[in-house]
Amino acid sequence: MPRITFIEPDGTVRTVDAERDESAMQAAKRNSVDGIIGECGGSCICATCHCHVDEAWLDRVGPAGEIEADVLEFEATDVRPESRLACQIAITDALDGLTLRVVGRSR
């Protein structure tokens, strides 16, 4: 079972078990990670699951797709090159150990 470490907005570190093929947002919500709201339910339209991917994981996670990049640009705050929406990160065994810093606020 892949494990994901979320760094919550207040700095609290939470490592959770994730199910293969669920999104990082679903794993966060199931484990009550602070700052991951997922208001749109994973439809890639609200940016309430905005995270910064740890630099060591950027290549494995990959860049945001075109629609996701647009949502980040227009709906999120503190957008950086490592920004992703957790709802768009599909969990696989290759992401075991992934670290995501939760931004926690949208515009």
Side-chain angles (χ1 to χ4, degrees), residues 9 27 31-32 39 41 43 50 71 85 99 101:
N31 288 282
S32 302
E39 194 170 89
S43 299
H50 179 205
V71 171
L85 298 178
T99 299
R101 182 173 294 279

Side-chain angles (χ1 to χ4, degrees), residues 10-28:
D10 70 357
T12 300
V13 176
R14 301 260 326 271
T15 301
V16 304
D17 291 325
E19 299 291 332
R20 289 173 199 85
D21 300 322
E22 76 177 337
S23 70
M25 181 210 70
Q26 290 168 316

